[in-house]
Amino acid sequence: MNLQNPKKFKLLIDQAHEVALNVLRPISRKYDKAEHAYPKELDMLASVVDGMNAGSEGMNAGAAVNKRGDTSNKNGVNMSTALSIIEMCYGDTGLLLSMPRQGLGNSAIAAVANEEQLTRFEGTWAAMAITEPGCGSDSAAIRTTATKDGDDYILNGEKIFVTSGERADSVVVWATLDKSLGRAAIKSFVVLKGTPGMKVERLEHKLGIKASDTAAISFVDCRVPAANLLGNADIDVAKGFAGVMETFDNTRPLVAAMAIGCSKASLERIKEIFKDQLDTDYGTPYLQTSHIAAQIYRMEAEWEAARLLMLKAAWMADNRKPNSREASIAKAKAGRIANEITLKCVELASSAGYSETELLEKWARDSKILDIFEGTQQIQQLIIARRELGKSSSELK
C-alpha cells in the first residue's frame, strides 16, 4: 500500500502550498476583521485555478467522479482536490470557501447530475442549501417543498447557513416532492441567482471563517425549470435517500481535507515555537520526552491517522466504490482532531496563542465549523453505526 502523495499531483500541491503562503496568509487577518467583504484578491487566483482545472485532474470542489463506465483504478479529481484543499486551508479556510466556482454545490452537481446537466452547469459557482430552521443535521427532515407545475417546479421554504449563498452564481437546493413519501422524495434543484422568489434574507455573523459569506435564503413561489432537477425526477422508495446522499460521499472527504489543512497550520506553528524541545528524528522514547513534546507527538499521530482516512475515502470516490462509511469516518475523525489540535496549540502557546499577533487563535475559531457542517460528530457516528451493523435509518435512529 503506497501512502505517498501521487507523483502526478506534486506540481498542483506545490502550487497550492505557495498560494497558501504568499496569497492567503497575507490577507487572512484582513478579511477575518472585514466580515462579509468580498476578497477581491481571489478573482485572479480563481482564474489560475480555472486554468489548472482545464487540464484533467485539478482543484475542483465539484470533485467529478470517473466517467460513467470507466472501471480503471485511478487517483482522480477527488484525490487532487482533497490534496489541494489541505494546502489551501493551511493558508486560510474561510478564503478557500470563498473561492469562485469552487462551491460545495458543485459536488452535488457532480454526484447526481445527468450528462446534459454536467455540460450545462460546467463552470458555474454553486452554493449548497440543505439546512433549515428546525432541521439541522437530519437532512431527511427537510420541509422545503417542490411542486410540479407544467414544465417547472415551484419551491417554497427557507434555508440557512448557505456557504457562498450571496456570492455564488446558483444554489443547489434540497427540497421534497412529496412529504408523505419521506426521504425518498427529496431531490436537488439548481436555482440560478436572481430567480424571482429566491431572496437572501441575511448574512450570518460567525465565530470563524468570516471571509466566507454564510446566508439565509427564502424561497416563495420560486419557479425553477424541471430541467434543473438534478438527476432522475422519479421517486424510488426502494432506493430511498441514496441519490442525494451521494453528494455527501463526495463532500465529506473534502471537509475532512479542510480540517486536516487547518490543523496542519496550527501543528507546524507550535512545532516551530517549541523546536528546541522536539526531537526531529523521533529517536527519543515517548516516555522520556518533555510533557509538551509528548503532547505534540500525540497530536501528530492523530493528524496522520485522519489524513490517511481521508485519502482512503477520496480514493474510493475516484474509483466509484461505495464510500459512505469511509467518508463519515474520515469526516468525523478529521473534524474532531482539528478542534483538539487547534485549541491545544492555542493553550500551549500561552499568551501568544490567544493574541492576534499570531494566527493560532484564528485557526482555532475557523476549525470549529469543520466539525459541524456536512454533518456533526453525532450524525457521522450514527451513519458509521448503521453501515457497521447493516441497519437502515428507520431501524437505527
Side-chain angles (χ1 to χ4, degrees), residues 118-141:
L118 288 173
T119 300
R120 179 154 52 95
F121 295 124
E122 184 178 3
T124 190
W125 178 6
M128 188 153 63
I130 302 174
T131 308
E132 300 179 0
C135 164
S137 292
D138 184 8
S139 300

Side-chain angles (χ1 to χ4, degrees), residues 151-168:
D151 293 331
D152 300 324
Y153 283 93
I154 298 176
L155 271 56
N156 283 283
E158 182 182 359
K159 296 293 183 178
I160 57 176
F161 304 135
V162 182
T163 302
S164 299
E166 184 182 51
R167 299 171 185 166

Side-chain angles (χ1 to χ4, degrees), residues 266 270 341-354 360-364:
S266 289
I270 206 69
I341 289 174
T342 54
L343 283 172
K344 176 58 72 173
C345 288
V346 167
E347 177 186 326
L348 293 179
S350 188
S351 58
Y354 204 68
L360 285 166
E361 61 83 25
K362 181 184 182 302
W363 293 330

Side-chain angles (χ1 to χ4, degrees), residues 277 279 283-295 297:
Q277 297 190 38
D279 181 354
T284 305
Y286 182 78
L287 295 178
Q288 295 178 18
T289 62
S290 68
H291 181 56
I292 286 177
Q295 291 182 86
Y297 295 151

